[in-house]
């Protein structure tokens, strides 16, 4: 954006070999919704855009800005951090995380967006990786 380098990640979703107009509109709408300013209680990453790769590979993807400013920032799933003593949150932090997750889902459901694949493997947190 404006010539600066931004770290990002791409989240792919398999869609089959065809994509109808309604699905295309949903992909674009979600990308736009995740791009504009959001309430602080909606803990979702900023979407930079989307990629339509249905013709070649039957998938589309959203491009998200990597949180943080470090080139060493990595994403880890909730599932992986709960099993790793280096990243495992304390009990009070886990209660706070549960509250944030519930608040985010409430916002999504309030505007009729249902997350059909909500599980600990696709809830991501950013960490600055030590060299």
């Amino acid at each position: 954006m404006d010539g600066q380098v931004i770290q990002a990640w791409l989240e792919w979703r398999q869609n089959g070999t065809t994509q109808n107009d309604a699905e295309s509109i949903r992909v674009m709408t979600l990308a736009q919704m995740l791009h504009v300013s959001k309430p602080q209680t909606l803990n979702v990453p900023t979407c930079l855009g989307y990629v339509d790769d249905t013709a070649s590979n039957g998938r589309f993807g959203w491009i998200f800005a990597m949180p943080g400013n470090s080139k060493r920032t990595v994403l880890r799933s909730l599932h992986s951090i709960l099993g790793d003593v280096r990243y495992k949150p304390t009990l009070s932090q886990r209660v706070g995380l549960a509250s944030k997750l519930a608040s985010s889902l409430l916002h999504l459901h309030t505007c009729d967006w249902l997350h059909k694949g909500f599980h600990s493997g696709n809830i991501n947190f950013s960490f600055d990786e030590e060299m």
Side-chain angles (χ1 to χ4, degrees):
M1 306 187 82
D2 297 333
Q4 72 186 80
V5 175
I6 296 175
Q7 285 198 314
W9 87 89
L10 191 57
E11 184 175 325
W12 291 107
R13 178 172 173 214
Q14 285 300 125
N15 194 41
T17 55
T18 61
Q19 181 173 354
N20 60 37
D21 290 339
E23 186 69 20
S24 295
I25 291 169
R26 288 183 60 79
V27 170
M28 290 185 291
T29 303
L30 182 58
Q32 185 178 24
M33 182 180 92
L34 296 175
H35 178 73
V36 299
S37 59
K38 301 167 275 302
Q40 283 187 334
T41 53
L42 179 58
N43 297 289
V44 295
T46 300
C47 185
L48 302 173
Y50 71 97
V51 176
D52 183 348
D53 191 30
T54 51
S56 300
N57 295 303
R59 65 184 182 173
F60 53 86
W62 292 277
I63 305 165
F64 293 103
M66 182 71 83
N69 297 322
S70 172
K71 289 185 179 183
R72 300 178 308 168
T73 301
V74 295
L75 296 177
R76 299 207 184 281
S77 71
L78 176 60
H79 185 295
S80 71
I81 66 171
L82 290 177
D84 190 331
V85 71
R86 293 175 298 168
Y87 302 107
K88 188 172 185 174
T90 65
L91 178 59
S92 61
Q93 289 171 325
R94 289 189 299 239
V95 170
L97 289 173
S99 175
K100 287 181 179 182
L101 289 172
S103 175
S104 292
L105 278 176
L106 173 67
H107 281 291
L108 290 174
H109 289 181
T110 300
C111 61
D112 289 335
W113 284 94
L114 300 177
H115 194 299
K116 297 175 185 173
F118 185 73
H119 57 81
S120 63
N122 66 11
I123 299 168
N124 293 310
F125 298 91
S126 61
F127 293 91
D128 282 337
E129 196 66 18
E130 295 182 18
M131 295 295 200

